[in-house]
Amino acid sequence: MPLPNILTIDGPAASGKSSLGRRLADALGYLFFDTGVMYRAVTWLVLKSGGDVNDEFGVTVLAENVLIDVRPPSKADGRACDVIVGRNDITWETRRPEVDANVSQVSAYKGVREALASQQRRIGLRGRVVMVGRDIGTVVLPEADLKIYLDASAEQRARRRYDEIIARGEEASFDEILAGVRMRDEIDSTRAFSPLKAAEDAIIINSDRLDADEVYQYVEALCR
Ligand code: CDP
């Protein structure tokens, strides 16, 4: 059987989509594209320019006009990719807590989604791609050959995100992370436009009792 040409991985915050996607893409020699970084980049640019994330019109105009370049990682500092806007590398800025706190609000705007999804679709249709997000199997690339929906309890996901931050030598509060994960789940899954949900033909994996390696082995076997 031929390998799937387009693979999508959707699921809630911190469910392990990015590490799974990156590993699969490396093994298959495919492009890894984490679409969340585009929503994060727009959110960071709004905050940095002193804009208001509640100003739907202003945020949408920014999303329609900004060119976000997502490239293979140029540094081995734990990043999955470089996020470049103009000449600026904003990779780590997009991971700041204020971005976490506001990104779901920005991602709920219809115009923002349309602007970013059309760029994502154009890249995805080239094939040989593992694309990760919330709506990739449902809206951006419904024709994908293999769709995974990766889930886990909010506690488990918050624990993993907390461990990641501590491993980077930064400080974090587990309770705040858990509250943030729950808030994003709520906004992402109840928004009117392309909410977070599994595609009807997606394979749903709950990783509460599986470690990253077991999830990877399972999906890798599905691909082959
Ligand atoms: O890595 P994590 O799961 O924390 O988040 P992310 O994948 O970087 O996505 C950040 C936010 O962007 C999500 O909470 C969604 O609000 C939004 N997003 C989206 O709406 N659609 C996508 N395809 C990807 C991300």
Side-chain angles (χ1 to χ4, degrees), residues 197-210:
K197 66 171 185 213
E200 275 178 17
D201 51 350
I203 295 170
I204 299 176
I205 303 173
N206 184 302
S207 71
D208 273 344
R209 287 162 200 275
L210 299 173

Side-chain angles (χ1 to χ4, degrees), residues 5-148:
N5 188 34
I6 300 177
L7 264 107
T8 63
I9 308 174
D10 290 300
S15 53
K17 305 179 299 288
S18 301
S19 36
L20 171 65
R22 188 155 39 145
R23 204 167 154 193
L24 276 172
D26 281 352
L28 299 171
Y30 281 15
L31 174 74
F32 169 65
F33 186 9
D34 178 359
T35 58
V37 301
M38 297 184 83
Y39 294 93
R40 287 174 174 277
V42 170
T43 306
W44 168 246
L45 293 168
V46 172
L47 296 173
K48 197 183 107 193
S49 65
D52 178 0
V53 292
N54 297 305
D55 169 15
E56 179 168 357
F57 181 74
V59 173
T60 303
V61 169
L62 189 148
E64 284 169 347
N65 289 293
V66 69
L67 197 68
I68 304 162
D69 204 357
V70 183
R71 299 183 195 154
S74 62
K75 289 183 194 160
D77 60 359
R79 62 180 63 199
C81 55
D82 284 5
V83 186
I84 311 286
V85 174
R87 293 175 172 213
N88 300 321
D89 178 338
I90 61 162
T91 309
W92 288 117
E93 281 78 358
T94 65
R95 296 280 150 197
R96 289 166 86 124
E98 61 268 37
V99 174
D100 281 343
N102 289 288
V103 64
S104 288
Q105 163 90 17
V106 165
S107 322
Y109 296 141
K110 184 167 184 255
V112 171
R113 301 208 69 79
E114 285 171 350
L116 300 187
S118 67
Q119 295 190 44
Q120 293 162 8
R121 182 165 167 77
R122 184 172 42 79
I123 295 169
L125 285 177
R126 294 180 196 150
R128 296 177 61 84
V129 68
V130 180
M131 201 177 286
V132 170
R134 299 289 186 288
D135 58 342
I136 311 302
T138 50
V139 175
V140 178
L141 291 166
E143 62 272 81
D145 306 293
L146 179 63
K147 301 178 185 178
I148 305 293

